Structure formats: C-alpha cells, structure tokens
Amino acid sequence: VGPATDYMHSSYRFSLDRTNMRRSGEGEIWFAFDQHGLPLFRLRGLAQSPRFGDGEITIVADASQRKMYAMFKLGELHEGQCIVYDFPKVSDNLQRIAKLRSRMAQVHTWEQSGEADGDLTIGWSGKYSMVFSFAPGGQEVRGVDLRSDQRVVKTVRLARKDDADGRWTATKPNTLCNDKEGTRKYEKALTLHQCKELCLKDPKCGAIYGASSMGTASGACWLVEGTCEEGHTAANFTVWHLERTAALPGGGPDMSAFAPPGGQCLPREVVHDPLATVELRAPHQASSALNDLLLVMAASTEEGSAKWPKLFLLLLACTVPGDVAVLIEDPAPPRLDSLHNVIFKYHTEIMKLGGNLSFSDPAADISEHIEHTSTGHIWFGLDWHAFRLTDYQEETKVGPVTINILAKSRPDIESLQQGERAAMLIAHVNLSAQGEAQCVEYEYPDMQEKDKEVLMTVATEGLQFYSVAELRGEDCGIFVAPLARERWIHIWVDMESDNPDAILRSEIRKGGQVLRRTEIQDWQAGLPVKTTEVVPPKEWGCQAGTKPDFAHLGLKEVDSWSAELLDTLHAVRGMTKTFAVLEILGLAGDVNLMVEEPALPELWSLPAISFNFAAFLWSAGSTSRGKSLAPRSYVDGRFIHDQRTGWLLLQGSTRVEEGNTPAPGHANVSLLLGPNSVAMRIQKGEGQTECLTLRTEGLAAKGTIDQQHGPTLHGSFDGVEHIGDLQCNRFTFPQGGAHNESVKFWYSEEQGSVCQLQTLPPPTQSGGDSTGTGALIYVPMWRHIYSRQDYEVIVKEAGFPRIAGQAAPASWQCKEAERELKPWLHLDKPGAKPFELYLPSRDCQESSLLSQWSGPAAKSAHGCYEACVNRPGCAYFSFRVHTDCRLYKRPCRPSEHSVIGMDIFMRRNRGFLPAAHALVKLAEAAGSVGLMSAPMSEMLSRLVVVAPDDEADLPVVPTPAEPTLSVLAPEVEHFSFQYSAARLIKPDRPDKSGKLPAASPTGRPPPLGSGVLHVDLKGRRLYLRSAVSHFSEGIDRAESAIIFSGDQGKLFVRTTVGAHFQECWSLKAPGGDIPGDGPKIRNPFAGAKAIEPSMWYEVPVPGSFQLQQRISFRVGVSTEALEALRLEDLGEGDAVDVNISHWSTSLPDGELFDPNSEKLDWGCDTWTEVKDTVQLPHWHVLEVFFPDAADPRRLPRAPAFGLGPQISAQTMSDVQRRLLSV
C-alpha cells in the first residue's frame, strides 16, 4: 500500500508564505535507490529573489559516498559554483534522529492501516503538521503542505515526469546557440517549463535557450534544431541541451541524473573565494527538510534500510522543494526596528568556560559548564529610549538578591512638564535574606568618543542568517550580529510563525564560545505604553542624593559597572533601534555579575593551561641619587602546563626592538619542569645552544595540586579594570610567592582567561614601593581547552618527553649539570638566598656605585638583591634596613672604616639572564594565583641560571674520587683545598716614634699569596704550601712550604726566594705522645657559630691572647664546601681574606707529609734546626686544626699571631719574616 518508492522523477511548484518572506518557484526532483539499496537524491530548484534575481540550485546527495554536491547559479551575479559537502553526522544529531523516528512511526502506522487513498497528516513539531496528498490509488505523491492550525506556510505540488521524454542539461549563464539558420524564435513569453514542453513535442528540437530558461515568463524562448553550438553573450541567457530517450542506454530509469552536477566541484574547505556577497553555507544548514533527509540517508547506510523504510525516505525527499527559496537566498531577519513596546521574561545560564581534568572517552564537548543562573524580566520602549530590567539570583554569598535597573535617556513631554531631568538611571538592590535594600540614582553616563566609534562600527553590521536549528520542538532560524568587544549575539526565531519578530532564545558568544544563554518566554510586543514603566515604584524608596552602601556589589560608580551594561545604556540613548534591541537582549543575565564579589577562578581544575605572555621588568622604588636607573627588560614567551601529568614548559626571549643591537644577556631560554627533573636550554645567537638538566626528587609527590579541593589561595577582589578589550576582575595577593611580594592578578570572567599578572616588592609601612624588581606580565593570547582534541594539540606543541625518566626531548641535546665542571644551572637549597654576606659593617667605595635607594624603600635585603639583578653590571650591594640600598659594580673596594648596620653582600648568580629572571618572576606569581602548584613555584624561585659563557663567580665543582662531605660534617677526618688571598687589611698605625709608615714607593698594594692545604686530622698531619708573585721589584716569586707531623712532634719549613735562594728548617713542635686515650679526631669547622643572615661562620682561636684572634669562613649554599676564609686580629685590626676552591674530603697522598719524598722534591740536603721554641709564637693554625695538641706544659704562650714561624732577627732576615707571615 502506498506510492512506488524505487524511483521517482517529478516536476514541482512551490510557494512559501512567511510574514517576512514570500517566495515561489519551480523545479525537478529525482529520488531512487541504487543496486545496493542505498538512497540517491537530486533536486533542481528555480526561484526568484529580490536580492539576487533569478536563481537556480542543483543538489545531488549520494548516501554511498555520504557526499552532497550543490551547484549554485545566481542570475544577478552571472556566476555559478559547485561545492562538495559532507553529510551531517548521525552521532552529532541523536536528538534529531529520535524525533525523525517518531515521524517514521506515524508513517508506518498509516502504511499498515490500508487507507492510502486519503491524506497523510503527520505531527511534524509542536505547532506544525505536515500533510501529504496522494493521487487516487495512492501510487503517487501529488503534494505536501506545512500547516500551522489553518494557515498554510509551505506548499509543494508534484507532477510526474516520464524519463522517456529525455534528460535536460544546462550550461553556464551568458550562453546562446550560434546556429541562427536552424533556430526558430517564438515571440511569446514563456516559462522554462513551457519552453521545454514545446521542444519535447518537436522531434527535431535539440536545445533551447533564452531568458526564459531562468524560470520566469518575462523572456522569449528559442528552440534549436539538432546540436547547439554554444557561444558567449552579454545577455542573461542559458542553454538547455536535450538528450532524448533513444540516446539513453537500456531505456530504463535515468540513473545518470544522480551524477554530480556539471563542472568542477570543489570541497568546501578548499573554496576560498565563494560567490560575491553570498555567505557560502551548507544548504542543509539553511533547510531543516534537507538536513533531515541527509540524516536519514546517513542513518539508513549505517543501520540498514530495514530500520528506515523507503516510503519514509521518499516522503522526506518530497518536503525538500518547499525550502528551495531559503537554499538560494537567506531568510529575512526579524524586523527589530519595528518594535515599539516589548516585555518578556527570561532565564539565563552563565557558562563557566574551560574544562576539568576528567575526560570521558571519547571526550564530549566540555565547553559548556553552567556556573550560575538568574531569572527576570525586561521591558523596553524604544520610542522613549528607555528600558527596565529586573534580575533575580537565588544563590549568592549574601543570599537571594534582586537587582532592578531603570534607564531613560530621553524625556517625554509629560516628564518635561513635571520638571524631570532629560536622562534617568536608577539601580535598586534588595538583599531579602538580610532585610536590606537600597535605591540609588546615578548620572546617566556620557559616551566617550572612542566608545562611540566602536559602537557605531558594529551597529551598522545588522543581523545575518546563520543556520536552522531545533528549539523547543520547533525548527527555528538563527541570526547573528556583532556586538562591541568582539562579542556576538545569536538569536533564535520561529520563521514559520505568525510573529517571526518574536525572539525565543539569545546567546552571547566570544571567540566561538557561549558566555550566556537566555531562554525568552512570553514575548509580547505592541502593548500600550504605561508611564509606570519609566517611574521608580514607591516601594523602592528612592531618594535624591543617596550614596550606595553596597560597594562590594560593583554599584559604587557607574564607570565600574559591566561593559555590557554601559554599552546598552549608550545604544538605547543614541544608536539604531535594531542595535539597541540586540544590546538589551545581551544584557539579560549580565547584571547578576554585580551581585556577588567575584571568586578566584579555579585554574587548577583545567586539564592544561596555555598562554603567550609579554613580561616587563623594572626596578621598583625611586632612587635617591643622581645615578641612572636600570634599563627596563622586555621578555616575550609562552607558558604551557599539563596539569594532568605535571609537566611545565616556560619559554622566554628578550625582546629586541627593530634596528637595535641586542642588550647584554639577550638569549632565548626554554625551561622544562617535570615530576623528577628540570631542564634548561639557552640559545644565544644562531646555533649557539646549550642545555643542562637537574634532578628534583620529591617534586612529583608534592608538585601537583589537590584536584578535588584545589589549592589554598589568599587573594581578595579589589575592583574591575579594562585590560585591552577585556573587562577583568582584579585580585590582590598581599604576600605571594617565596619572598612575600605583592601579586596582582587580572582575570576575565566573561572570557574565562587570565588578562595579566603583576609582582611588586612588599610595600613600605606608608604603602609606597620598596626596593626590588617589579614585573608586569601581560597575556595577549589565552588558549581555551574545550575538548580532548584541544588538550592533545597543546600538549603536542609543548613537546613534553614521553619516555619515562627522560628530562627533555632528545633534540635539546642536554647534559647533566651534576657532571659538568662549571655548571651554569643549579638549584639552591630550600631557604637559601641568592646572595651572601661579603663583608659585615662595611660599604663599598663611591667609585663603583651604580644606584642608591634611601629611606623606607630599603625594606629588605632580598629587595635590594632584586634591584641588583635587574641592573646590568651589578655584582655587589650594600644594605642597611629602612636606610640604604646601594648597588655596585666591580671592583668593590671596602670602606676604610666600619659602617654601623651596613653590610656588603655579593650576588651568587652574576650573569643571571633577563629572560630567565622573567621566567622566575612569572613562576612566583603563577604559584600565588593557582597557575601552578606552590611547590613548583617555590622550586623555580630557587633556580639560578647564568650565561653559559660568564665564568665569573661560578663555583668550581671538583670531581672527587669519593663523595665530598660538607665542611660542617662532624665525621670529616681529612680535607684539602686550594686558596688565594683576596686582600690584606692593615690599618695605618704609628711606629714607636709616633710616625706613620711611609707609602709604598711603587704605589702598588702589598702582594697577595695563593697555595694549597692538606690536613689529615686522624693522622695529625698538615701540609701547607704558599706562594706569592711579584713580591718586590727584585724578587719575582717566593714560596714557603710547611709540613707538620704530629706523631713526631716535628715541623718542617722550606722557603725559596727566586731561583737561587733556598733555606730549610726543622723545628720542634707540639706533638709526640698525647696523654690519655690518644688524640681525639674533631672537625674544627663542625662547631662553628653561624653569622646570621649569611653562610658565614666563625671559629675563635683557642688560647689566643684574650681571644682577640678569630677565623671566619663561608660555606657554599649548594655544595656545602668551604668557599672563603677570613683571618682577623681584633686587637690590631689586621685581617686577610682568602678565597677557597677545590674543596675535598678525600684522604690526601701520604707523600705530601714526608719532607724527603720524591713527590715533593724539596732538595733540602741540610736542615737548620731551631731549638729555641720559647721564642716561637703560639701556633694558632695548629691549635685550630689539632686542639688536643695544645698543652700548657709543652708550649709557652706569646701574644703574636701568624701563619708561619716568627723567628728572631739573628735567625731570619726581614724578607724571610715577611714571607712566613704571608
């Protein structure tokens, strides 16, 4: 029962009767099934458009290929184009498939009833029904009507065509036949259908052409005998070639009709130049009938024809001709400019952009997460240039909140007579749970010139048709228009209804993502205007001059209101009605953002974070001296954090302005932080790349954020600012990062992106800027993650290692920093400072001063260090809290006199690259706001990166035969190091006659020595060798070596001066048998007292006169090796500073303690024995290393001090005494 379904070819006529769009046309339709039972469809439609004139579209759909071919021809444009589209995916349209199954069930019921002679009426949607009419016997479909109650919206009438007559093929526009002798011209105006009928009746006719071929009755028709020889013409002609049945093989149904339409058809994605003024859109996006047919064709291919009966497919195909007009021409948008007095209710959902760490497989779209909702109603009367909005939000921090906004920008006559102002803006807030309410009247904001220019530009765009979609069971048209600040509004209208200007839904989008979705109900237009709509009701309690109490609601000043609300106020006052309506529609749900104080974004919940940044570093605080401030550093880079795996990529490059030479320290820096490692790659110039890696055990366990509860953040909301085109909430973290800096954080809640960050040194007590480095980090591009595909693209771009245990990609060619002799990358221990005390109670001389801050700005030593880092050439800084911060270049010549409270500090990372400094500042800020975990941020703040070729101040890391112990370790039994005296401090004191010593005739400072020391505490042995160069004009080099043998109680001394003088002494020294249980092994450095705040320690010399001798030493932060010594005589004011290198706790070679060994080759044939030990001073150096050897019964005391034997003038010359003192 029912029509034949295997093959259909019909002509048709259609009419479309919409309030805003009335069209008619004609065409042909083919429908069949191939040898595999898969559906095929072809439609050729003709329609006249006021916009484009006569238009034609040919559509061919092939289910086996799941491709649709669409050939567009527009008469006004004299153009044609063939595009290939993919079928819509069934998996993306499951709700629509369910509705189609419901329609199919109704057809199946009718088919089984046996009543095929009557009409078939199907409930098509909530308000519409589709009526199919059949020929007697039910073998042919004669017509289709779409009805709403008694009104017919679309009508399609079908007439069977016999393929025995032949097949027609059209050419491009502007074509005619050159065979004029065999052409017969008909003066009578004919339609295309009439012209073809005449040709079919004439057995000699082989083609037709003329204006009538475009489907109107306004032009003549030419019939051509035989074959047509085509030619070009300026007239709007098209040639139609006729291929008669005799030429068709087999004489059966013309299956060739389902071949792609003529010409070259291109895939949609490669078409870059669509028809002029026509937005190239897939036809099924404009026609719900065509979209339904393609969906069922695809579903029948996937599920089998048994699930989708042929009759249902045929009936769907018959509904498509009714949409030919909208396939050729976009539907007309609603006439918003005709609206006068409108009221509607709404329910708005505000979306939380971004995803979370939980993906489903396969991943669904995670772009829409509802953060909160609000309800309300809006009235607007555009003739009054006024609107009134009531918004209610149930759940806020202060309980339920109702906000009323009444705006009227132009007065009516009655208002003027009553003396009202020309403009009125009133906000009423009701906190029902707290029993508080307030009404505040504001000045209507004036539109700035720049805002006017932006709004005027977007207001001229107007609404454009976008696509069709289903809403509340109805097929709606979606229209779009731009708004200010890169936002777009999408509105849904029921184009078939009696009131196509009624809006059913609106969406505000930005960057393709939904910000707010508003469902509109009870749309009523044309109502009588009530004056009460523009007068605040008495229950609001409005009084002139009331100041707002609810500052935390964002209603304190109009300028702080949302940008969208301000745009609406400006649009209502001075823009077109259409644009004003769109702005009012976009306002629904926006004002609730003022209701509660914005919360910090949960950035930790995103699967990954990716953004580009531009960092600007400067020296905070104002200098108090006339020295120039540091040049400002600009660093561009990107930040990618895979929060699911814990990997982090930071990249930075010092910006070089065009035409400028790169500044010192210019480099591209890439930092890769993993669960158990950190890698740093530095590129200085082309091809100059180095990379080092470090281990970070323990970070994997504590480096990620608790994804269930998130981190504990301590930021507070303190206002709204516009950063570029974004409206951003500003939060302040007063003690952020590892150094308690002030961190400011701007976040766009609407866009779901970070706007910028800023770090500043801790403020002074008066709120001013203290000394340090300020960093402003602007985020020009934030990449959202809405799906698993977005996540995978970002992670792939970062190039995180995929092999377990790998610290960096193989292409980085990294080396392990632990294996490098002079690594330019190291990680300080927790709590360590990137600077150390160089000299207490001293300052550097003025000649090296770079900059100075005085007063409260000098708040902390770390801030002074930050200022030093940001100043090229700064190697030292002196600091006195709340008084001075001074930056110095090399060399730092200490002041002659003590400066109370002032200490000199030395940077431990001289050569710190600006790009690396910017990454560290970014990491410190990121840890405060939740862009990374606090442990990751803290660890990166301890990262020290210097230029690989800057060897100054780089510690020499020896490679000992066995692990080196800390200088403070009690278990140290032996140690060795190399040393060089840095400087000698000797005050100018008068001699016995009261005269000051004469200045050096050469003007040169006294010579300083260097050497090596080996100590065997367990064996009570010591070897000390010291050398000095350029001792005097006559002596180029002198050297002294000492061997102490505690078990023999002997001290051996060898002195050489130049190449010809040598003398060897043997002295009796403390040693021999030690009473009791023998010598106690004790590391002399282990009991040292720390000098805070630094890595310096001090050891008093046992037995020195009134403890006036002292030894101080400095310990390396990362290596815990001995790095420096200072030997002082506090009574005399003498001191010598000694630099230490090559610290080792390995057992020294035994031959070093044998004066006759071949290794030493002293060549002492005779020894001068010194027996008068009473004249020997106390050997302080020995007592420091071997305190158990100090025995008052063995060694007389004397108040002298030195590192060598001081012997009487009869035994030693003055030169020898000076050598031993050195």
Side-chain angles (χ1 to χ4, degrees):
V1 179
T5 57
D6 286 339
Y7 181 84
M8 179 192 74
H9 178 197
S10 297
S11 62
Y12 66 83
R13 296 175 183 274
F14 77 89
S15 64
L16 175 65
D17 188 16
R18 291 176 175 169
T19 304
N20 290 350
M21 187 179 187
R22 290 182 170 87
R23 304 287 185 268
S24 62
E26 60 183 31
E28 292 180 87
I29 182 173
W30 290 260
F31 186 79
F33 292 88
D34 64 13
Q35 65 272 25
H36 303 293
L38 299 179
L40 299 167
F41 173 78
R42 180 187 179 100
L43 177 138
R44 182 182 59 81
L46 305 171
Q48 188 177 40
S49 161
R51 183 181 178 189
F52 301 118
D54 296 329
E56 176 186 339
I57 183 171
T58 299
I59 292 176
V60 175
D62 185 349
S64 63
Q65 302 294 324
R66 300 194 188 187
K67 299 290 184 183
M68 178 180 66
Y69 304 86
M71 170 73 81
F72 300 91
K73 293 183 180 180
L74 302 177
E76 273 311 301
L77 303 178
H78 309 294
E79 293 187 57
Q81 197 167 44
C82 182
I83 312 294
V84 183
Y85 301 92
D86 292 326
F87 274 22
K89 294 182 179 180
V90 175
S91 59
D92 293 341
N93 296 270
L94 297 180
Q95 291 185 349
R96 191 68 178 183
I97 286 290
K99 172 165 284 192
L100 290 169
R101 291 188 192 278
S102 173
R103 296 173 182 175
M104 181 185 67
Q106 298 179 61
V107 173
H108 180 71
T109 301
W110 172 84
E111 188 177 16
Q112 297 298 319
S113 67
E115 300 177 359
D117 288 340
D119 293 344
L120 167 60
T121 301
I122 297 177
W124 210 246
S125 63
K127 297 187 299 183
Y128 299 96
S129 59
M130 193 74 72
V131 180
F132 295 90
S133 301
F134 298 91
Q139 295 300 306
E140 293 183 10
V141 181
R142 289 295 180 85
V144 183
D145 292 336
L146 179 66
R147 297 181 180 181
S148 173
D149 295 329
Q150 299 303 315
R151 185 174 71 90
V152 178
V153 180
K154 298 178 187 177
T155 297
V156 178
R157 293 295 176 260
L158 302 168
R160 182 175 61 86
K161 292 187 67 68
D162 189 354
D163 278 340
D165 294 338
R167 177 167 63 90
W168 295 93
T169 304
T171 64
K172 295 181 179 180
N174 306 107
T175 309
L176 50 68
C177 295
N178 293 326
D179 186 8
K180 296 183 179 181
E181 294 183 1
T183 301
R184 287 178 288 177
K185 180 178 180 181
Y186 285 81
E187 299 296 339
K188 183 179 179 181
L190 302 174
T191 67
L192 175 63
H193 178 73
Q194 293 169 335
C195 190
K196 286 184 176 181
E197 290 295 327
L198 288 176
C199 184
L200 287 170
K201 294 177 181 179
D202 185 349
K204 295 183 179 181
C205 181
I208 61 173
Y209 73 91
S212 61
S213 63
M214 297 308 293
T216 67
S218 59
C221 168
W222 280 268
L223 276 68
V224 181
E225 292 184 1
T227 304
C228 169
E229 180 183 344
E230 295 180 5
H232 180 74
T233 179
N236 183 21
F237 288 171
T238 300
V239 176
W240 288 80
H241 297 276
L242 173 61
E243 189 176 2
R244 294 184 180 271
T245 304
L248 293 175
D254 185 13
M255 302 299 289
S256 63
F258 302 105
Q264 183 181 6
C265 295
L266 301 175
R268 169 64 186 91
E269 56 270 16
V270 303
V271 178
H272 302 294
D273 187 22
L275 294 181
T277 74
V278 179
E279 181 183 358
L280 195 60
R281 181 185 297 105
H284 58 283
Q285 292 180 348
S287 166
S288 59
L290 179 58
N291 186 69
D292 288 346
L293 175 62
L294 297 179
L295 276 175
V296 175
M297 291 176 70
S300 65
T301 303
E302 295 179 7
E303 303 172 10
S305 58
K307 296 290 184 68
W308 297 92
K310 293 181 178 181
L311 176 59
F312 183 63
L313 281 158
L314 173 65
L315 296 179
L316 285 179
C318 294
T319 65
V320 177
D323 281 355
V324 167
V326 297
L327 295 176
I328 293 177
E329 178 189 11
D330 288 345
R335 298 167 300 181
L336 302 182
D337 56 344
S338 65
L339 299 175
H340 297 284
N341 193 34
V342 177
I343 188 170
F344 62 88
K345 299 177 182 178
Y346 69 83
H347 175 82
T348 299
E349 298 173 339
I350 292 85
M351 305 303 174
K352 175 184 176 183
L353 294 186
N356 52 49
L357 291 174
S358 300
F359 284 114
S360 57
D361 291 311
D365 182 13
I366 60 174
S367 62
E368 296 182 1
H369 298 282
I370 299 173
E371 188 162 18
H372 50 267
T373 63
S374 67
T375 59
H377 60 268
I378 293 178
W379 167 88
F380 61 86
L382 297 184
D383 294 335
W384 293 40
H385 296 271
F387 72 91
R388 177 173 170 175
L389 178 148
T390 297
D391 187 273
Y392 175 76
Q393 188 171 349
E394 178 70 27
E395 298 179 359
T396 74
K397 291 182 179 179
V398 293
V401 176
T402 301
I403 291 184
N404 297 282
I405 294 179
L406 174 60
K408 185 174 69 169
S409 63
R410 296 186 184 181
D412 56 280
I413 297 178
E414 183 180 351
S415 299
L416 287 176
Q417 292 174 348
Q418 295 177 0
E420 292 186 11
R421 294 201 308 268
M424 177 192 304
L425 178 59
I426 295 175
H428 173 257
V429 180
N430 183 14
L431 308 180
S432 57
Q434 302 181 19
E436 298 181 38
Q438 187 179 32
C439 180
V440 182
E441 187 171 351
Y442 300 88
E443 292 290 337
Y444 203 98
D446 294 325
M447 182 163 44
Q448 301 297 322
E449 199 61 37
K450 63 177 182 178
D451 295 330
K452 182 178 180 180
E453 182 179 348
V454 171
L455 293 177
M456 290 291 290
T457 300
V458 296
T460 58
E461 296 291 332
L463 284 166
Q464 299 291 329
F465 177 70
Y466 179 71
S467 68
V468 294
E470 182 182 344
L471 178 63
R472 305 173 198 165
E474 306 297 341
D475 293 330
C476 296
I478 303 177
F479 296 85
V480 300
L483 300 177
R485 274 165 278 281
E486 300 180 356
R487 296 171 300 127
W488 287 77
I489 184 170
H490 292 223
I491 61 174
W492 276 249
V493 298
D494 184 355
M495 297 180 296
E496 320 290 6
S497 70
D498 296 329
N499 184 16
D501 298 329
I503 312 300
L504 303 180
R505 170 190 283 178
S506 68
E507 284 185 354
I508 303 300
R509 299 189 177 197
K510 189 170 185 178
Q513 303 306 316
V514 179
L515 305 180
R516 296 189 299 278
R517 174 179 296 128
T518 300
E519 302 294 343
I520 298 175
Q521 300 171 339
D522 298 336
W523 178 280
Q524 301 179 59
L527 300 176
V529 177
K530 299 179 181 179
T531 56
T532 55
E533 296 288 355
V534 290
V535 177
K538 293 183 179 180
E539 56 267 25
W540 286 10
C542 299
Q543 296 181 1
T546 303
K547 294 184 178 180
D549 294 331
F550 305 139
H552 62 282
L553 300 182
L555 298 176
K556 186 174 182 180
E557 302 292 343
V558 175
D559 292 341
S560 69
W561 290 15
S562 73
E564 288 79 0
L565 179 53
L566 293 175
D567 289 343
T568 304
L569 294 173
H570 298 325
V572 168
R573 189 175 204 176
M575 298 293 166
T576 64
K577 287 186 177 181
T578 296
F579 187 68
V581 173
L582 295 177
E583 285 288 352
I584 291 173
L585 289 172
L587 189 61
D590 174 70
V591 294
N592 69 65
L593 298 180
M594 302 185 300
V595 169
E596 63 177 309
E597 185 175 293
L600 284 165
E602 297 178 351
L603 299 173
W604 49 266
S605 68
L606 302 175
I609 296 173
S610 176
F611 60 86
N612 291 359
F613 67 86
F616 166 53
L617 276 65
W618 73 96
S619 292
S622 300
T623 56
S624 57
R625 298 291 294 270
K627 302 289 183 177
S628 61
L629 285 173
R632 298 170 175 178
S633 300
Y634 297 87
V635 177
D636 297 319
R638 66 172 178 167
F639 177 111
I640 300 179
H641 186 197
D642 183 355
Q643 300 200 114
R644 303 182 75 201
T645 62
W647 282 94
L648 171 70
L649 173 67
L650 297 177
Q651 291 180 313
S653 175
T654 311
R655 185 185 306 174
V656 180
E657 301 298 335
E658 186 175 356
N660 293 343
T661 303
H666 170 73
N668 298 325
V669 177
S670 297
L671 184 149
L672 195 59
L673 178 62
N676 298 295
S677 62
V678 59
M680 177 73 75
R681 182 176 65 170
I682 295 179
Q683 181 178 1
K684 299 183 68 176
E686 296 183 1
Q688 304 175 20
T689 302
E690 294 191 37
C691 178
L692 291 180
T693 63
L694 290 170
R695 300 181 186 276
T696 58
E697 285 81 357
L699 186 64
K702 60 182 179 180
T704 57
I705 297 174
D706 180 357
Q707 303 302 337
Q708 182 177 0
H709 302 98
T712 301
L713 304 178
H714 301 285
S716 59
F717 172 74
D718 60 2
V720 178
E721 288 185 22
H722 285 87
I723 307 298
D725 291 331
L726 297 179
Q727 175 179 292
C728 305
N729 298 328
R730 184 181 66 244
F731 300 88
T732 298
F733 299 76
Q735 293 182 332
H739 306 293
N740 296 324
E741 294 188 319
S742 174
V743 177
K744 290 186 179 294
F745 173 55
W746 288 261
Y747 180 78
S748 170
E749 193 164 2
E750 178 188 70
Q751 185 66 7
S753 63
V754 174
C755 306
Q756 69 181 19
L757 302 100
Q758 184 186 65
T759 66
L760 288 172
T764 62
Q765 291 183 353
S766 61
D769 291 338
S770 62
T771 309
T773 296
L776 180 66
I777 303 160
Y778 174 62
V779 180
M781 187 185 78
W782 177 275
R783 298 180 63 179
H784 291 96
I785 297 178
Y786 305 112
S787 64
R788 178 178 291 276
Q789 182 180 6
D790 294 339
Y791 165 77
E792 291 175 347
V793 168
I794 289 176
V795 172
K796 184 177 180 181
E797 287 180 3
F800 296 130
R802 297 185 178 182
I803 302 175
Q806 190 175 13
S811 59
W812 284 26
Q813 298 180 348
C814 296
K815 300 177 182 178
E816 295 182 17
E818 292 87 347
R819 296 180 178 271
E820 293 297 299
L821 180 62
K822 296 182 178 180
W824 45 265
L825 172 71
H826 72 272
L827 193 64
D828 282 344
K829 291 187 176 182
K833 296 179 175 61
F835 55 91
E836 58 185 274
L837 182 65
Y838 185 66
L839 275 178
S841 303
R842 288 289 193 276
D843 194 6
C844 299
Q845 294 181 8
E846 287 278 333
S847 58
S848 299
L849 181 65
L850 294 172
S851 299
Q852 176 178 338
W853 290 262
S854 298
K859 183 174 182 178
S860 67
H862 183 84
C864 197
Y865 154 78
E866 285 277 0
C868 184
V869 171
N870 205 40
R871 177 67 196 238
C874 179
Y876 301 90
F877 65 90
S878 60
F879 175 75
R880 181 164 47 183
V881 65
H882 294 160
T883 304
D884 286 297
C885 168
R886 302 176 183 178
L887 310 184
Y888 294 98
K889 62 184 179 181
R890 287 172 174 257
C892 171
R893 295 184 174 87
S895 57
E896 295 182 358
H897 305 287
S898 297
V899 182
I900 299 175
M902 178 78 80
D903 297 322
I904 303 176
F905 296 89
M906 180 175 64
R907 283 180 54 185
R908 298 184 50 254
N909 58 353
R910 182 173 173 267
F912 200 9
L913 296 172
H917 190 200
L919 297 186
V920 170
K921 301 303 292 184
L922 171 59
E924 292 177 356
S928 299
V929 304
L931 288 167
M932 66 173 66
S933 68
M936 294 176 72
S937 173
E938 188 275 336
M939 195 213 71
L940 291 177
S941 71
R942 295 186 281 112
L943 201 64
V944 178
V945 186
V946 299
D949 54 358
D950 191 345
E951 298 182 359
D953 292 337
L954 288 179
V956 177
V957 182
T959 306
E962 58 186 60
T964 298
L965 299 176
S966 166
V967 65
L968 302 173
E971 60 268 26
V972 170
E973 295 184 349
H974 16 67
F975 56 86
S976 303
F977 58 80
Q978 296 179 14
Y979 68 90
S980 60
R983 62 210 174 99
L984 181 65
I985 299 175
K986 191 173 182 66
D988 295 335
R989 293 190 297 271
D991 57 17
K992 294 180 180 180
S993 63
K995 296 181 180 179
L996 292 173
S1000 169
T1002 62
R1004 295 182 301 179
L1008 302 177
S1010 61
V1012 63
L1013 174 68
H1014 297 276
V1015 176
D1016 178 9
L1017 297 174
K1018 188 175 182 179
R1020 293 191 297 145
R1021 299 181 297 178
L1022 176 147
Y1023 171 78
L1024 173 67
R1025 179 175 58 84
S1026 180
V1028 61
S1029 298
H1030 309 294
F1031 182 78
S1032 67
E1033 293 184 1
I1035 301 176
D1036 181 64
R1037 177 179 176 83
E1039 182 178 301
S1040 178
I1042 299 173
I1043 294 177
F1044 168 65
S1045 180
D1047 56 346
Q1048 300 179 33
K1050 285 283 189 178
L1051 184 73
F1052 303 95
V1053 180
R1054 174 180 179 262
T1055 301
T1056 60
V1057 179
H1060 305 290
F1061 177 82
Q1062 171 178 300
E1063 191 157 351
C1064 302
W1065 299 288
S1066 170
L1067 299 96
K1068 185 177 180 181
D1073 296 332
I1074 303 298
D1077 298 329
K1080 297 180 181 179
I1081 302 172
R1082 185 183 67 83
N1083 178 9
F1085 301 106
K1089 178 183 177 182
I1091 304 176
E1092 299 290 349
S1094 70
M1095 293 303 290
W1096 279 88
Y1097 296 79
E1098 67 178 21
V1099 180
V1101 180
S1104 65
F1105 182 71
Q1106 295 182 353
L1107 295 178
Q1108 292 189 0
Q1109 277 76 44
R1110 180 175 65 188
I1111 297 179
S1112 304
F1113 62 93
R1114 186 177 70 228
V1115 178
V1117 175
S1118 58
T1119 62
E1120 292 195 2
L1122 184 67
E1123 290 189 345
L1125 283 167
R1126 191 176 201 198
L1127 313 176
E1128 298 175 277
D1129 188 321
L1130 303 180
E1132 298 293 329
D1134 294 343
V1136 60
D1137 286 338
V1138 181
N1139 292 331
I1140 305 298
S1141 64
H1142 292 74
W1143 168 262
S1144 173
T1145 56
S1146 300
L1147 179 64
D1149 189 342
E1151 291 191 48
L1152 294 174
F1153 307 109
D1154 183 0
N1156 299 314
S1157 67
E1158 295 182 1
K1159 186 179 185 73
L1160 293 180
D1161 190 24
W1162 276 12
C1164 292
D1165 297 329
T1166 59
W1167 293 88
T1168 301
E1169 186 172 355
V1170 181
K1171 296 182 179 180
D1172 188 7
T1173 57
V1174 175
Q1175 294 189 26
L1176 283 175
H1178 191 86
W1179 287 89
H1180 302 300
V1181 66
L1182 298 183
E1183 285 204 332
V1184 170
F1185 295 141
F1186 308 107
D1188 59 321
D1191 185 350
R1193 297 170 301 173
R1194 293 167 169 250
L1195 187 63
R1197 305 295 179 182
F1201 175 75
L1203 286 182
Q1206 304 233 351
I1207 308 174
S1208 63
Q1210 293 81 3
T1211 309
M1212 263 190 179
S1213 66
D1214 291 339
V1215 172
Q1216 290 169 321
R1217 286 200 303 272
R1218 292 178 62 189
L1219 281 176
L1220 291 178
S1221 296
V1222 171

